[in-house]
Amino acid sequence: MRGQFISFEGGEGAGKTTQAERLSKSLNNAGIETLMTREPGGTFGAEAIRDLVLEGTSDRWSGLTELLLMYAARLDHIEKLIEPALARGVWVISDRFADSSMAYQGYARGLGKDRVNAVHAAVLDDFAPDITILFDMDPVMAMKRVETRGEEISRFDAESIEFHKTLRAAFQEIAEDNKDRFRVINADASRDSVETQILFAMAQKYPDLAGKLTDGA
Ligand code: TYD
């Protein structure tokens, strides 16, 4: 049986990484093998592209160049890691995937939906996650979380709060456009509460898992 492909999306500081670890454990406890990965990155080549794209000032790349770099990284990631894992029956959880390109490059950087959809179709046909969890939260709260954690501010975190508000609205619209695939989670809540929402969404999507998914904290 082919594995399932789960993506986590949302703005910065919404706690996606912690929740990916927890969901992975919950699935393992239910007898499912998992692989956790992230974008941009996940393979040797894609991590090298990640460094290119996340370092430096925000005007280092044009929006379209950035989009193409993201898709180059994504194709390597799919060919070498994601697709072979799914074929082995492993469930893959990716911290970000193509919806991030739509939100960041398509909306926030202004390339537009059509351009992003055209690049996606040229590179990946209609490849998409089986389920996407959107971590929705007020960007002001999210930035505070990033600051409190004392994390390194990437090229993207340094963008203005307006940029992050645009992003939030973008993700909400993308979720609306892809209702069947998306589940929207209120990420401005305790870790346990966010986890409960995710497990609920998973049990809805995969009724066979209902009752088997206990928390992975
Ligand atoms: P990262 O530090 O992993 O951010 P986060 O913890 O919020 O996921 O950095 C990834 C950054 O790359 C993030 O700001 C979003 C951005 N990004 C894009 O602009 N386009 C993309 O297609 C992807 C996958 C990420």
Side-chain angles (χ1 to χ4, degrees):
M1 273 264 284
R2 190 177 158 82
Q4 294 291 301
F5 182 32
I6 302 157
S7 64
F8 281 11
E9 296 284 4
E12 336 269 312
K16 297 190 305 302
T17 313
T18 311
Q19 295 297 336
E21 283 162 11
R22 288 192 179 195
L23 176 61
S24 175
K25 268 195 207 158
S26 297
L27 289 168
N28 293 159
N29 292 341
I32 293 169
E33 192 186 335
T34 55
L35 174 76
M36 272 199 298
T37 186
R38 68 167 179 184
E39 287 209 344
T43 57
F44 184 76
E47 289 290 333
I49 297 173
R50 177 189 175 90
D51 291 342
L52 282 178
V53 92
L54 294 190
E55 281 166 15
T57 53
S58 58
D59 59 358
R60 182 176 184 191
W61 306 108
S62 73
L64 183 55
T65 310
E66 199 168 85
L67 180 72
L68 294 171
L69 287 168
M70 292 296 180
Y71 270 91
R74 182 161 301 130
L75 184 58
D76 194 63
H77 191 204
I78 292 173
E79 286 176 344
K80 299 203 176 114
L81 193 74
I82 297 175
E83 193 51 50
L86 294 175
R88 289 198 313 274
V90 173
W91 289 36
V92 177
I93 304 170
S94 187
D95 188 343
R96 298 193 180 282
F97 190 66
D99 299 304
S100 279
S101 296
M102 182 58 91
Y104 282 82
Q105 282 70 50
Y107 284 76
R109 301 214 77 194
L111 280 184
K113 273 194 206 186
D114 291 348
R115 182 57 72 92
V116 177
N117 282 331
V119 170
H120 185 99
V123 179
L124 298 181
D125 295 318
D126 58 358
F127 186 92
D130 295 292
I131 179 170
T132 298
I133 307 282
L134 174 59
F135 288 63
D136 178 60
M137 101 181 253
D138 174 2
V140 177
M141 303 303 293
M143 290 291 273
K144 280 194 184 135
R145 276 198 197 172
V146 173
E147 272 170 23
T148 323
R149 288 200 304 246
E151 281 174 10
E152 199 187 319
I153 301 289
S154 75
R155 191 161 78 72
F156 291 91
D157 292 309
E159 305 273 0
S160 73
I161 205 73
E162 281 312 310
F163 179 89
H164 290 275
K165 285 186 179 159
T166 306
L167 266 178
R168 183 191 197 187
F171 274 119
Q172 287 172 340
E173 202 173 307
I174 297 164
E176 197 56 35
D177 287 346
N178 298 273
K179 269 209 176 101
D180 289 350
R181 174 164 61 86
F182 267 86
R183 298 290 185 282
V184 183
I185 297 297
N186 168 24
D188 189 10
S190 70
R191 285 182 171 174
D192 287 347
S193 153
V194 173
E195 181 178 19
T196 304
Q197 295 178 64
I198 293 170
L199 294 182
F200 182 77
M202 289 294 291
Q204 259 190 338
K205 164 87 181 165
Y206 302 106
D208 288 355
L209 286 181
K212 289 193 204 150
L213 284 179
T214 48
D215 67 62

